[in-house]
Amino acid sequence: MFATAFNLAKPIFPRKKKNRKKKKKKKKKKKKKKKKRKSSHCIREKTMVKSPEQEHPQEALGWAARDPSGLLSPFKFSRRATGEEDVKFKVLFCGICHSDLHSLKNEWGSSTYPLVPGHEIVGEVVEVGSNVEKFKVGDKVGVGCLVGSCGSCDSCHDHLENYCPRMILTYGSMYHDGTMTYGGYSNMMVVNEHFAVKFPPNMPLDAGAPLLCAGITVYSPIRFFGLDRPGTHLGVVGLGGLGHVAVKFAKAMGVKVTVISSSPGKREEALQHHGADAFLVSSDINQIQAAMGTMDGIIDTVSAVHPMLPLIGLLKHNGKLILVGAPDRPLELPIFPLLMGRKIVAGSCIGGIKETQEMIDFAAKHKIAADIEVISIDYLNAAMDRLAQGDVKYRFVIDIGNTLK
């Protein structure tokens, strides 16, 4: 209707002039089309997808999965040139996190292939950029779950890059230059110095590697939620890759620790080997009832679906239940028990780079490291099968330096 009225209001020109204008318009359109074709052709040439081997100038070798089967095999790719603020290092060890297994099989629905996992990476610096201040050639360094962030949001300003909405994960993320990130199941890495942490000389590189994920995942909430004060009673749910490190950190802070596990066979391990003060079998109603209302906080490391009610019941008033595991299905959360004790259920995800360095320094000072099983790169697929069955105490670490050739 409006279009019709608009057309009627147009003045009527003599036919000859109109035809001339039409011809001019046609010529202009043809020229524009030719320009568009040329420019689009140029863009196609410039943005032609390069193979992982050709994206960057530095050759690299790793192990990658090509599809959700998760089967890993040798993979040639490339790393970027060492920039002014970059550190290039030879990878010596890389821990295997349970999230690597989730990612390999695309169980969280966000994986991209080919996928080179690994975010518990330790190595030796072989080159530094001209503006690098924190590191020198020969230093031992670690890289955890992050290799980038926006640097300008509130989280970044508060040294919480792990909560930056544009954080860049160590593998499976798009980097600033538009290429995919590849993790530590590889022979070398290039990273901005801000996202690397220095390993103290007395920190074992193999057993220290898992702290870059497992360690900071439990250290950060213990500190943030005030569960690090001597005399505090802390429950740790699950005695696996995260749980056994949580016990070690908490004991070093002077905290009373009770391990809560579904496996009665882990009792001796928890008490004698890791130094826990008490042990509860989560399915034993009598044990749980006897401990009701005794804990100031609980770090829940379990990634499987499990009931929340018994754990909430173990808390004192003002108690805090902190979830650091990542179940693939929602948990049922009863509200009434929270109301009656002013209790808190919260989550926590790794930590910022500053806090990760603090954690590594604390661990070195108190001689805290993960309990590990060192494997060769050729054993990788077998290790993943064992990890899926929970058959590891408590962390696999790949000897990259000696076995990836």
Side-chain angles (χ1 to χ4, degrees), residues 251-368:
K251 289 306 298 177
M253 295 169 185
V255 171
K256 178 184 176 182
V257 179
T258 295
V259 171
I260 306 157
S261 174
S262 60
S263 306
K266 290 187 176 180
R267 179 183 181 83
E268 187 177 338
E269 213 171 305
L271 300 176
Q272 294 185 15
H273 182 61
H274 297 300
D277 299 284
F279 184 89
L280 298 177
V281 178
S282 56
S283 58
D284 189 319
I285 297 171
N286 292 329
Q287 287 186 23
I288 297 297
Q289 285 288 343
M292 293 283 274
T294 63
M295 298 181 191
D296 298 289
I298 294 173
I299 300 292
D300 186 350
T301 70
V302 176
S303 290
V305 174
H306 56 289
M308 294 284 96
L309 184 59
L311 300 178
I312 294 170
L314 292 171
L315 294 171
K316 298 176 182 177
H317 66 273
N318 297 331
K320 306 171 184 79
L321 171 58
I322 316 302
L323 308 177
V324 296
D328 57 0
R329 286 179 289 124
L331 300 176
E332 187 176 321
L333 181 62
I335 302 302
F336 196 69
L338 298 178
L339 302 180
M340 297 311 295
R342 197 163 61 185
K343 299 174 183 180
I344 294 169
V345 176
S348 183
C349 179
I350 55 171
I353 305 304
K354 182 181 179 182
E355 189 175 40
T356 302
Q357 184 67 68
E358 176 193 306
M359 177 273 303
I360 288 290
D361 294 340
F362 181 90
K365 181 180 178 181
H366 295 275
K367 297 181 179 178
I368 295 170

Side-chain angles (χ1 to χ4, degrees), residues 80-323:
R80 71 177 184 268
T82 308
E84 292 180 346
E85 297 177 354
D86 286 341
V87 172
K88 176 184 174 181
F89 66 94
K90 175 187 176 183
V91 178
L92 299 176
F93 296 98
C94 186
I96 298 178
C97 178
H98 209 284
S99 60
D100 294 348
L101 185 60
H102 287 301
S103 298
L104 286 169
K105 295 183 177 294
N106 197 24
E107 290 174 350
W108 292 331
S110 58
S111 299
T112 54
Y113 300 92
L115 181 74
V116 178
H119 56 213
E120 299 177 345
I121 314 158
V122 178
E124 182 177 335
V125 176
V126 295
E127 185 183 6
V128 296
S130 58
N131 293 338
V132 169
E133 297 178 352
K134 284 168 56 179
F135 303 99
K136 64 182 185 301
V137 172
D139 283 348
K140 302 303 187 292
V141 296
V143 171
C145 302
L146 304 176
V147 292
S149 68
C150 76
S152 58
C153 68
D154 289 345
S155 295
C156 288
H157 287 155
D158 291 339
H159 304 289
L160 294 170
E161 299 90 347
N162 51 313
Y163 298 125
C164 171
R166 291 193 286 164
M167 68 174 176
I168 301 172
L169 299 176
T170 303
Y171 65 85
S173 279
M174 191 74 72
Y175 197 64
H176 298 300
D177 61 5
T179 61
M180 290 303 296
T181 57
Y182 295 114
Y185 296 10
S186 59
N187 62 348
M188 58 88 79
M189 284 196 74
V190 178
V191 66
N192 183 287
E193 69 164 332
H194 178 78
F195 292 91
V197 297
K198 185 173 284 190
F199 261 50
N202 66 324
M203 171 64 74
L205 302 183
D206 52 0
L211 299 182
L212 294 163
C213 175
I216 189 60
T217 294
V218 294
Y219 180 91
S220 183
I222 291 173
R223 287 293 199 201
F224 179 79
F225 290 99
L227 302 173
D228 56 346
R229 291 188 286 271
T232 298
H233 187 184
L234 177 69
V236 175
V237 186
L239 193 66
L242 297 177
H244 88 286
V245 177
V247 175
K248 292 183 181 187
F249 276 122
K251 289 306 298 177
M253 295 169 185
V255 171
K256 178 184 176 182
V257 179
T258 295
V259 171
I260 306 157
S261 174
S262 60
S263 306
K266 290 187 176 180
R267 179 183 181 83
E268 187 177 338
E269 213 171 305
L271 300 176
Q272 294 185 15
H273 182 61
H274 297 300
D277 299 284
F279 184 89
L280 298 177
V281 178
S282 56
S283 58
D284 189 319
I285 297 171
N286 292 329
Q287 287 186 23
I288 297 297
Q289 285 288 343
M292 293 283 274
T294 63
M295 298 181 191
D296 298 289
I298 294 173
I299 300 292
D300 186 350
T301 70
V302 176
S303 290
V305 174
H306 56 289
M308 294 284 96
L309 184 59
L311 300 178
I312 294 170
L314 292 171
L315 294 171
K316 298 176 182 177
H317 66 273
N318 297 331
K320 306 171 184 79
L321 171 58
I322 316 302
L323 308 177

